[in-house]
């Protein structure tokens, strides 16, 4: 059975990342000309701050230096977190995306953009935003229906506190 370098690196690095309280999300080795880049993506339920990234980077670097997992040539180690528009592929990704707007590609009914309200073992409860003054609607998605899901960036979203203040002001005006 043949394993790729990324798979071997994952087996080597995952215990170190876990010991730092993080999940190893991705391991990728790229070659750009003569240079090689090892990209490691980590995350947790509460996110990862710069200090955690630095700590895990030092631990991974030390482990890689003591093994020949990257071979004899030079390489650059990059450690980071998933991007703002991360793809959701694991159950924990959906849980972490609760209250976020997500673009779903569905097996039967095409595309849907909705906010994740809750996630359980069987599927996802979402809220589909209302269009043209209509109220949002709730919908249940089974994991089996979802072909692809990606978090969407929201620039002008009000926080729950701002929404509550707006609703309070509107009630007082009425």
């Amino acid at each position: 059975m043949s394993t790729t370098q990324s798979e071997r690196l994952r087996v080597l690095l995952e215990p170190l990342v876990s010991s730092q309280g993080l999940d190893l999300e991705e391991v990728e080795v790229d070659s750009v000309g003569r240079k090689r880049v090892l990209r490691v993506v980590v995350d947790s339920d509460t996110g990862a701050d710069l200090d955690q990234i630095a700590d895990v980077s030092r631990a991974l670097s030390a482990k890689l230096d003591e093994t020949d997992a990257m071979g004899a040539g030079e390489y650059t180690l990059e450690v980071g977190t998933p991007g703002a528009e991360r793809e959701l592929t694991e159950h924990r990704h959906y849980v972490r995306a609760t209250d976020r707007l997500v673009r779903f590609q569905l097996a039967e009914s095409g595309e849907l953009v909705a906010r994740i309200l809750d996630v359980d073992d069987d599927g996802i409860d979402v809220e589909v935003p209302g269009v043209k003054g209509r109220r949002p609607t709730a919908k249940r998605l089974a994991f089996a229906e979802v072909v692809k899901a990606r978090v969407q960036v929201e620039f002008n979203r009000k926080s729950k506190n701002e929404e509550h203040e707006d609703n309070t002001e509107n009630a007082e005006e009425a």
Side-chain angles (χ1 to χ4, degrees), residues 5 8-9 12-13 36 38 60-73 75:
Q5 184 179 24
R8 289 188 306 271
L9 286 166
L12 176 70
L13 303 178
R36 291 182 306 146
L38 170 57
L60 296 180
S61 182
K63 184 67 168 181
L64 291 165
D65 286 348
E66 72 184 38
T67 68
D68 67 346
M70 286 298 292
Y75 66 92

Side-chain angles (χ1 to χ4, degrees), residues 17-157:
V17 172
S18 294
S19 73
Q20 302 282 330
L22 299 170
D23 295 317
L24 181 60
E25 297 293 349
E26 187 178 322
V27 175
E28 181 181 312
V29 181
D30 280 332
S31 294
V32 182
R34 294 183 189 174
K35 295 182 179 184
R36 291 182 306 146
V37 178
L38 170 57
R39 288 188 185 88
V40 177
V41 178
V42 298
D43 201 8
S44 77
D45 290 344
T46 58
D49 63 30
L50 289 176
D51 290 335
Q52 288 176 300
I53 298 292
D55 291 344
V56 78
S57 183
R58 282 189 288 273
L60 296 180
S61 182
K63 184 67 168 181
L64 291 165
D65 286 348
E66 72 184 38
T67 68
D68 67 346
M70 286 298 292
E74 291 184 20
Y75 66 92
T76 301
L77 172 63
E78 294 179 358
V79 179
T81 57
E85 291 187 4
R86 76 169 312 161
E87 188 169 347
L88 307 177
T89 57
E90 303 281 337
H91 184 273
R92 69 177 178 263
H93 298 165
Y94 288 93
V95 172
R96 290 174 185 165
T98 298
D99 202 38
R100 301 284 309 269
L101 196 63
V102 174
R103 181 177 306 274
F104 295 94
Q105 184 66 42
L106 303 175
E108 298 291 320
S109 54
E111 195 172 88
L112 174 70
V113 176
R115 187 168 312 283
I116 294 179
L117 299 175
D118 192 33
V119 180
D120 59 32
D121 291 340
D122 300 318
I124 312 149
D125 292 321
V126 299
E127 179 182 77
V128 181
V131 179
K132 296 183 180 178
R134 293 191 179 140
R135 293 183 160 262
T137 56
K139 184 171 175 81
R140 175 79 176 170
L141 300 175
F143 284 114
E145 292 178 71
V146 179
V147 174
K148 192 175 192 179
R150 185 175 299 279
V151 172
Q152 301 297 289
V153 174
E154 295 180 85
F155 293 106
N156 296 321
R157 178 161 187 236

